[in-house]
Amino acid sequence: MPVTTNILGGGIAFNEWLPTSAIDYNGDGNVGAGFNAANDGYVEFVNVGSDPIDIGGYTFYAQDDVNGFSVLAHTVPAGTILQPGGFYTIVSNNPAGNATTPTGVSGTAVIADFDFVATGATNLILADASGNFIVLQESGGEDFLADDLVSAGLSPANQVGLDQVDGPTGNLAIARFPDGDDSFVPISASPGTPNCFLAGTLISTPDGQVAVEALRPGDAILTAAGGTTRVLWVGRQTISTRFTPAERLMPVRVTAGALGGGLPLRDLVMSSDHALLIDGMLVNAGALVNGGSVDWVPLAEFDGSYTVYHVETEAHDVILAEGAPTETYIDYVGRQAFQNYAEYVALCGADRPIVEMTCPRITSGRHLPQAIRARLGLVRAA
């Protein structure tokens, strides 16, 4: 996940913003090109920390296009826990305020009855239950912030972070660049991104190596602990790369032997938030990027899209991908994000929660122990 100082509660940060879209994210059956015509905008938060965070009671404020200052747009329900790497997406429901269900959004998504400001600068404010807050501010929005804080009942002394961004245009969103800095880049809208293997990744089974896309429910696979488990479901999603730049969609390539001990056996390509088990810790692939033996895969290598797969087993487990110990699916991102979700429902019925294994999780390079960096030669690029 991105590394940022603009956080609440030890890890909650603004991650992605789409003011308006021709995609029906709010599920009301309507789309429109203007802010006042079926606005399907959204704002997304992410937990960039290494521990689960209770975001119950957090409040989100957005400027509306009537009075020009911020209004309360959403309060996170009590008891909402955002796991490391997890997303929380708030979708606008202007103008009808109908009770609809978000569509095309991964992770935890909710509907809020508000509209983003149509003209001028915009401030989006997220405050925790203690009144500390962070701001996502469109460039040129300084004159609006004082009024926003008064309307939200917040004190300037409690501001702990500010992301100032150039507002997105067209149907592009803006999202944090995945190299660990605090900058934002335009991307094709991608609220929530599944954490998966790319097609062709070889998974160890009692009968040899099998490509992840060839696995079927009920197939036996080997665990890193030396036992076996069975595939419950293999989720599948095709990700479009045609709307560039889309840097947040870049997967990570761990080259053969980069982890030491000859592992992985071949280059292992996976999404940046998919973790490998290293020295008893789950380390997200993005935290290992060093610009050499572990690096981002340029989207130019794909012909407009690529397909990712996740392997779900009965419990959150560690299996062998290209010989390297790698986690199975954990439901930080909802199964509805995958194209074959109907297959899951037919096999398993309603969604079930998965209890994460107790291993610590490393989500950014700055949290990677020096001993691992030195042993694996993963000295991060400046």
Side-chain angles (χ1 to χ4, degrees):
M1 297 306 304
V3 177
T4 173
T5 56
N6 299 325
I7 60 176
L8 283 176
I12 304 302
F14 282 105
N15 186 67
E16 190 169 320
W17 174 39
L18 180 70
T20 187
S21 171
I23 300 175
D24 183 21
Y25 287 115
N26 64 25
D28 64 1
N30 299 309
V31 294
F35 283 85
N36 294 314
N39 182 357
D40 281 280
Y42 65 82
V43 64
E44 179 178 86
F45 314 123
V46 62
N47 181 359
V48 301
S50 57
D51 298 307
I53 298 176
D54 185 348
I55 60 172
Y58 279 40
T59 48
F60 169 64
Y61 302 84
Q63 284 186 347
D64 66 17
D65 58 359
V66 176
N67 54 39
F69 55 81
S70 288
V71 296
L72 178 62
H74 177 70
T75 300
V76 179
T80 301
I81 307 298
L82 197 59
Q83 298 291 338
F87 300 97
Y88 189 91
T89 306
I90 303 173
V91 183
S92 66
N93 200 29
N94 178 73
N98 298 323
T100 54
T101 301
T103 59
V105 181
S106 304
T108 302
V110 295
I111 294 289
D113 188 14
F114 72 98
D115 185 19
F116 293 105
V117 67
T119 58
T122 297
N123 293 312
L124 307 178
I125 302 172
L126 180 67
D128 64 17
S130 300
N132 297 318
F133 66 94
I134 54 177
V135 179
L136 182 69
Q137 182 180 78
E138 187 174 356
S139 298
E142 293 85 353
D143 292 340
F144 291 89
L145 187 56
D147 289 343
D148 291 334
L149 297 184
V150 170
S151 63
L154 298 172
S155 169
N158 288 345
Q159 181 175 334
V160 296
L162 169 66
D163 289 308
Q164 192 164 48
V165 301
D166 291 329
T169 59
N171 284 321
L172 292 178
I174 55 169
R176 290 189 179 278
F177 192 77
D179 66 355
D181 65 22
D182 280 347
S183 63
F184 283 74
V185 295
I187 68 166
S188 56
S190 58
T193 301
N195 310 324
C196 318
F197 301 110
L198 267 66
T201 301
L202 295 181
I203 307 298
S204 297
T205 80
D207 298 319
Q209 305 291 310
V210 177
V212 64
E213 65 269 26
L215 291 173
R216 297 292 180 266
D219 286 354
I221 51 179
L222 299 180
T223 67
T228 61
T229 187
R230 291 196 176 273
V231 175
L232 188 66
W233 180 58
V234 179
R236 180 183 71 254
Q237 184 186 48
T238 298
I239 297 175
S240 173
T241 64
R242 294 186 184 279
F243 298 97
T244 57
E247 286 84 355
R248 194 167 79 86
L249 301 179
M250 288 191 295
V252 172
R253 177 182 287 117
V254 183
T255 59
L259 301 177
L263 298 177
L265 301 173
R266 304 189 311 164
D267 287 2
L268 174 60
V269 183
M270 57 203 299
S271 58
S272 63
D273 298 333
H274 201 154
L276 298 113
L277 185 68
I278 302 175
D279 288 1
M281 293 176 285
L282 290 170
V283 183
N284 286 8
L288 297 172
V289 169
N290 62 2
S293 58
V294 183
D295 207 355
W296 305 106
V297 181
L299 297 184
E301 292 192 12
F302 306 104
D303 187 19
S305 67
Y306 61 89
T307 301
V308 295
Y309 299 83
H310 85 67
V311 179
E312 181 172 350
T313 53
E314 185 63 30
H316 188 214
D317 211 335
V318 178
I319 59 176
L320 301 173
E322 303 296 354
T326 312
E327 70 176 334
T328 57
Y329 171 71
I330 182 71
D331 53 343
Y332 294 161
V333 175
R335 299 173 182 87
Q336 297 92 332
F338 294 88
Q339 292 163 320
N340 59 333
Y341 174 63
E343 177 186 314
Y344 174 85
V345 174
L347 287 167
C348 306
D351 284 0
R352 66 185 186 99
I354 298 177
V355 177
E356 184 174 18
M357 64 184 73
T358 57
C359 302
R361 181 178 292 269
I362 304 296
T363 61
S364 66
R366 66 176 177 175
H367 296 143
L368 193 65
Q370 183 59 40
I372 293 180
R373 296 187 195 177
R375 180 168 59 83
L376 301 183
L378 294 170
V379 179
R380 294 183 63 81

